Amino acid sequence: MRNTAIILAGGKGERAGFAVPKQFAELAGRTVIERTVDAFERHPMITGIVIVTIADCMDRMQTIVERNTWHKFAGLCSGGFTRFASANAGLMLCPAAEGNVLIHDGARPLVGQEVISRVITALEGSEAVITAVPSTDSLVMTDGGSVESYLDRSKVWRVQTPQGFRTSLLRSAYLEALRHSYFDATDDAMLIRRYFPDRHIAVVEGSESNIKLTYPGDMKRMEQILATQKQ
Ligand code: CTP
Ligand code: MG
């Protein structure tokens, strides 16, 4: 079975506010996007890697692709204004034949091999799989100023990437979203839930280390995690 990874690096990284979009920032001597692609290149069950980047940064990404020897590299394209548009562009480059896609945020360079393995293994029995982590904090519903209710912490998990799908199912969900002009999904399984609500979406455990580089302070946390992993 083919397992193609789509690495999304089509965002501008505005909240991080670095001099360059965050995917091109250096994390312990290697760019964030290189570290992310490395993780999928290294995984024995991944058969191809598609990278989606910002239209303005195609040359920069092309240079990065050329200086690396990623044997699984299968294509580069420019994304769009939304994550949805970027993922849709990446999906176009995936092989049409039956197989799986794993969609991953380029801004999560610390994704572990075991997390990728869990997604691929779960795809043997499910057509859609998300990674998520339980919350250690108490969780409340709030209007911003006051508490409306407490949520059952054991049932509310934080969703991460990678997420895995049978390619045909995800393509159908994207077609439905395009047909309904629904472009606001913050992840891909959300589209399956919306358009194919009867399909089972498996949940496998993500990792607390698999943080998304979002704010400037996340870089320091990532450096610390890398330093402890090396020990
Ligand atoms: N992404 C993308 N195309 C977009 C928007 C986001 O490929 N139009 C990707 C980002 O590059 C990132 C992932 O989706 O790897 C998660 O998005 P986010 O953390 O929001 O990244 P940015 O949109 O780049 O950051 P910000 O929202 O702070 O500008
Ligand atoms: Mg964003």
Side-chain angles (χ1 to χ4, degrees):
M1 186 74 114
R2 282 181 212 240
N3 294 301
T4 306
I6 301 177
I7 310 296
L8 297 179
K12 295 206 166 90
E14 279 167 359
R15 284 169 290 178
F18 300 144
V20 291
K22 62 191 181 186
Q23 54 272 41
F24 299 109
E26 295 242 333
L27 169 59
R30 195 152 169 76
T31 63
V32 167
I33 186 66
E34 283 174 301
R35 287 188 179 277
T36 308
V37 175
D38 286 346
F40 287 86
E41 169 75 18
R42 207 179 302 136
H43 196 284
M45 302 289 285
I46 294 292
T47 52
I49 300 171
V50 166
I51 304 173
V52 185
T53 195
I54 313 170
D56 291 351
C57 295
M58 282 292 277
D59 289 349
R60 191 196 284 249
M61 195 64 92
Q62 185 65 46
T63 307
I64 288 179
V65 168
E66 279 164 17
R67 77 167 178 239
N68 283 280
T69 44
W70 290 319
H71 299 294
K72 297 175 185 173
F73 174 73
L76 168 66
C77 65
S78 67
F81 286 118
T82 59
R83 188 186 187 281
F84 173 89
S86 295
N88 190 49
L91 208 44
M92 306 278 192
L93 290 191
C94 286
E98 195 51 33
N100 298 321
V101 279
L102 277 78
I103 303 211
H104 186 64
D105 295 330
R108 292 185 193 266
L110 302 187
V111 57
Q113 298 292 289
E114 71 294 348
V115 173
I116 300 173
S117 296
R118 286 200 275 271
V119 173
I120 294 173
T121 303
L123 280 169
E124 287 167 19
S126 299
E127 292 174 296
V129 179
I130 64 164
T131 49
V133 286
S135 177
T136 47
D137 296 321
S138 293
L139 295 163
V140 292
M141 290 285 285
T142 166
D143 60 10
S146 52
V147 171
E148 287 174 349
S149 61
Y150 269 80
L151 300 177
D152 180 350
R153 193 172 64 180
S154 65
K155 288 195 165 172
V156 184
W157 287 36
R158 290 181 286 126
V159 178
Q160 302 182 329
T161 68
Q163 300 189 346
F165 306 91
R166 207 72 77 230
T167 310
S168 51
L169 175 64
L170 194 63
R171 276 187 207 270
S172 303
Y174 268 78
L175 278 178
E176 285 301 315
L178 286 167
R179 228 161 51 84
H180 292 91
S181 302
Y182 175 67
F183 307 128
D184 297 335
T186 49
D187 75 4
D188 301 280
M190 214 181 259
L191 296 178
I192 308 294
R193 196 84 200 139
R194 192 177 176 104
Y195 296 112
F196 301 99
D198 55 325
R199 301 298 174 101
H200 170 247
I201 303 174
V203 182
V204 297
E205 199 162 345
S207 160
E208 286 297 343
S209 315
N210 185 20
I211 52 177
K212 180 161 71 69
L213 175 56
T214 306
Y215 295 102
D218 294 331
M219 201 56 134
K220 198 95 246 117
R221 282 175 61 206
M222 288 180 161
E223 281 164 5
Q224 284 161 353
I225 293 170
L226 269 177
T228 34
Q229 284 176 351
K230 279 207 192 99
Q231 280 167 11

